[in-house]
Amino acid sequence: DAGITQSPRYKITETGRQVTLMCHQTWSHSYMFWYRQDLGHGLRLIYYSAAADITDKGEVPDGYVVSRSKTENFPLTLESATRSQTSVYFCASSESGFYGYTFGSGTRLTVV
Amino acid sequence: QKEVEQDPGPLSVPEGAIVSLNCTYSNSAFQYFMWYRQYSRKGPELLMYTYSSGNKEDGRFTAQVDKSSKYISLFIRDSQPSDSATYLCAMSGLQGAQKLVFGQGTRLTINP
């Protein structure tokens, strides 16, 4: 199916563990993004990528790592999860970025 | 002060009412203005997109941009219960995607 898919939909992990959130898009969009959404803060950009092997930091990158070896995949890794990283994570893609993004359905992550 | 300010609500109106949602911003470089709709436990979806100033209409939805006042609005006519969602404004400058900034979102409920 065409679109952008995130996995898993729900994840519970323990403090200190490494966890990877997956994002896959089928349009071959150049741009991909990771956002986190928290009450009182709205959507905040973690990392983005303009093309394969090109990534850059967003507003809140600390504690996260990304890679983009293939255009269609953009995984987000929490190297050592903390409770403050409990959030809903959204991946998005865009061909040009100038008229908006298409979002995935989100991953709800709880760090205990 | 945040670059984009949006009243989080919640906003509750009766079915059939005209709804007005607003955002203010401080960055005069913003040129692209978008409205996203987000249903509960779903990712945001692009609703309206406007470049620079002016109005844009799409069915029951009208987006307005007043760059002189740094103020954007979304109007919903003949509101329906299916319009109940969180509405997020988003905007970016000429640098495009990587500079997209979201408002906090306004939670809207349309009562039958």
Side-chain angles (χ1 to χ4, degrees):
Chain A
D1 289 339
I4 182 166
T5 55
Q6 291 184 238
S7 60
R9 286 298 310 275
Y10 303 92
K11 178 74 177 179
I12 299 174
T13 191
E14 294 178 340
T15 302
R17 289 196 178 266
Q18 184 181 81
V19 60
T20 297
L21 310 183
M22 305 302 292
C23 180
H24 175 79
Q25 53 109 349
T26 60
W27 297 297
S28 299
H29 283 170
S30 297
Y31 289 90
M32 295 189 75
F33 311 85
W34 275 106
Y35 281 86
R36 60 178 291 175
Q37 187 172 39
D38 306 284
L39 275 174
H41 291 282
L43 282 163
R44 292 182 292 174
L45 182 64
I46 305 170
Y47 269 95
Y48 67 95
S49 169
D53 297 322
I54 300 175
T55 63
D56 207 348
K57 296 177 180 179
E59 182 185 354
V60 289
D62 293 343
Y64 303 96
V65 174
V66 293
S67 62
R68 195 169 177 203
S69 57
K70 293 183 178 181
T71 300
E72 61 267 30
N73 296 323
F74 191 39
L76 176 74
T77 297
L78 286 68
E79 295 183 293
S80 178
T82 65
R83 290 196 180 91
S84 65
Q85 292 177 310
T86 292
S87 185
V88 182
Y89 291 84
F90 286 102
C91 178
S93 73
S94 171
E95 176 55 34
S96 68
F98 286 92
Y99 62 91
Y101 309 156
T102 302
F103 283 84
S105 296
T107 294
R108 190 171 293 267
L109 176 69
T110 302
V111 182
V112 298
Chain B
Q1 185 186 3
K2 294 180 179 178
E3 273 190 296
V4 179
E5 298 277 359
Q6 183 177 8
D7 186 342
L11 181 61
S12 182
V13 301
E15 184 177 354
I18 296 174
V19 177
S20 172
L21 304 170
N22 311 295
C23 288
T24 60
Y25 63 95
S26 57
N27 189 342
S28 57
F30 286 149
Q31 297 282 349
Y32 300 91
F33 303 92
M34 284 146 271
W35 286 94
Y36 282 83
R37 178 175 60 195
Q38 185 177 20
Y39 291 114
S40 180
R41 298 191 175 261
K42 299 286 188 183
E45 56 178 340
L46 183 64
L47 191 60
M48 300 281 286
Y49 157 71
T50 309
Y51 172 70
S52 195
S53 285
N55 294 356
K56 187 172 185 178
E57 189 172 320
D58 183 2
R60 297 183 295 110
F61 298 89
T62 300
Q64 287 186 352
V65 175
D66 182 349
K67 291 184 68 180
S68 62
S69 301
K70 296 189 178 68
Y71 188 86
I72 70 170
S73 300
L74 177 70
F75 297 96
I76 307 174
R77 293 184 300 279
D78 188 24
S79 55
Q80 304 293 312
S82 58
D83 295 327
S84 298
T86 297
Y87 290 80
L88 302 103
C89 62
M91 47 198 81
S92 68
L94 290 174
Q95 289 178 301
Q98 59 269 35
K99 297 298 183 185
L100 194 63
V101 179
F102 284 85
Q104 196 174 328
T106 299
R107 192 170 177 183
L108 172 66
T109 300
I110 308 298
N111 300 303

